[in-house]
């Protein structure tokens, strides 16, 4: 079972396949996972196996810990390429997320003005205007859209909210007016005896149409990199990811593939 639970509120830096030297900011409890999805490929494991008992760090605790770490990196290195909101679940769940974004941008400007601020989100909370407004302020607003197929979402992403509607999410993704990067997991294998291969045109073409409607600044396609809690999953091949990447680029949208 995968059990990558991150320290809170600051972890790393780590080397990200997509972002470079990344200092992590985890707004969720340090002893468990808190997420609006329960993805079968999540490196933090299934929600039920890592129920947290501690509280989220406060806005003040996040700012204090971040400033201390940035001071240390100024003196001792390494220089961060990016300050990344990620960690044990969905960062935009924090009730003070907008204020924390403001604090982070202020501290970034003070210590490492060339570093980017990134948010890795599953998109579920962008129905809230205050969350969208906060995400508009960051350099890399990286939002998930694995598919537009409801059955696949229920099998793989497993939203915990019964009200989740991918069409509502797509409409809210359009509201960023291009200030959004779409991140999509492509993989193969099975879950509960059902194929989870979303690399074929049955899934790619409807997804690509949604991407074109959203008009993101760019798209990140990737595949499994770490251990997953569901064990019958397989990586998409280089060739499969390259094909999907090239289809996005052919539509005039920049796209990168991470293997």
């Amino acid at each position: 079972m995968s059990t990558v639970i991150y320290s809170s509120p600051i972890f790393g830096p780590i080397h990200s396949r997509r972002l470079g030297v990344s200092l992590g900011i985890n707004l969720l409890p340090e002893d468990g996972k808190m997420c609006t999805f329960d993805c079968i490929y999540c490196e933090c494991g299934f929600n039920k196996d890592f129920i947290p008992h501690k509280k989220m760090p406060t806005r003040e605790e996040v700012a204090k810990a971040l400033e201390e770490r940035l001071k240390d990196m100024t003196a001792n290195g390494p220089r961060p390429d990016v300050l990344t909101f990620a960690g044990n679940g969905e960062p935009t769940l924090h009730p003070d997320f907008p204020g924390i974004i403001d604090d982070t941008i202020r501290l970034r400007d003070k210590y490492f003005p060339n570093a980017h601020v990134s948010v890795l989100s599953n998109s579920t909370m962008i129905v809230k205007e205050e969350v969208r407004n906060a995400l508009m302020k960051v350099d890399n607003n990286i939002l998930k859209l694995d598919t537009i197929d409801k059955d696949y979402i229920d099998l793989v992403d497993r939203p915990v909210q019964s009200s989740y509607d991918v069409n509502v999410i797509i409409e809210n993704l359009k509201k960023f007016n291009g200030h959004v990067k779409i991140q999509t997991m492509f993989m193969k294998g099975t879950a509960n005896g059902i194929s989870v291969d979303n690399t074929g045109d049955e899934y790619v073409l409807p997804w690509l149409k949604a991407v074109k409607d959203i008009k993101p600044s760019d798209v990140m396609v990737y595949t499994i990199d770490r251990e997953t809690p569901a064990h019958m999953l397989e990586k998409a091949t280089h060739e499969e990811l390259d094909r999907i990447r090239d289809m996005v680029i052919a539509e005039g949208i920049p796209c990168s593939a991470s293997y």
Side-chain angles (χ1 to χ4, degrees), residues 48-219:
K48 66 179 177 60
D49 295 322
F50 300 99
I51 297 171
H53 300 284
K54 295 184 179 181
K55 296 180 179 179
M56 296 179 183
T58 65
R59 175 179 176 178
E60 294 72 22
E61 288 170 341
V62 174
K64 182 175 184 292
L66 178 59
E67 184 158 26
E68 288 175 354
R69 190 69 181 93
L70 292 176
K71 284 181 179 178
D72 178 72
M73 295 176 83
T74 299
N76 303 306
R79 298 185 65 85
D81 296 310
V82 62
L83 311 180
T84 306
F85 286 83
N88 305 336
E90 176 51 42
T92 60
L93 279 173
H94 198 291
D96 288 328
F97 178 74
I100 292 170
I101 289 294
D102 290 340
D103 295 341
T104 301
I105 291 172
R106 172 177 56 81
L107 292 170
R108 182 277 309 273
D109 292 347
K110 180 178 179 180
Y111 292 100
F112 292 101
N114 293 326
H116 287 174
V117 175
S118 298
V119 176
L120 300 178
S121 168
N122 64 20
S123 306
T124 53
M125 301 300 288
I126 64 170
V127 295
K128 294 188 173 185
E129 184 178 9
E130 62 269 27
V131 170
R132 293 197 307 274
N133 290 341
L135 291 171
M136 285 295 292
K137 298 177 181 180
V138 306
D139 301 288
N140 297 316
N141 173 29
I142 304 172
L143 301 182
K144 176 178 293 297
L145 182 67
D146 282 343
T147 181
I148 68 164
D149 185 279
K150 182 183 184 303
D151 291 338
Y152 191 91
I153 291 168
D154 289 343
L155 178 66
V156 173
D157 294 328
R158 306 200 305 173
V160 301
Q161 305 148 304
S162 60
S163 61
Y164 178 85
D165 184 339
V166 70
N167 294 307
V168 172
I169 298 302
I170 290 169
E171 290 305 309
N172 279 278
L173 287 167
K174 294 177 185 178
K175 293 179 182 179
F176 289 104
N177 295 318
H179 184 66
V180 59
K181 300 175 185 288
I182 296 299
Q183 176 181 245
T184 302
M185 166 69 79
F186 288 99
M187 62 181 180
K188 300 192 293 185
T190 61
N192 301 326
I194 302 170
S195 172
V196 294
D197 185 346
N198 63 335
T199 64
D201 285 349
E202 174 189 0
Y203 291 102
V204 173
L205 293 180
W207 166 84
L208 182 58
K209 182 182 184 302
V211 169
K212 289 163 58 180
D213 290 341
I214 294 164
K215 299 181 174 64
S217 61
D218 58 88
V219 174

Side-chain angles (χ1 to χ4, degrees), residues 220-238:
M220 300 175 172
V221 298
Y222 69 120
T223 193
I224 297 165
D225 184 46
R226 299 184 176 95
E227 184 186 358
T228 60
H231 294 303
M232 300 301 289
L233 308 182
E234 302 171 9
K235 293 171 71 78
T237 66
H238 285 215

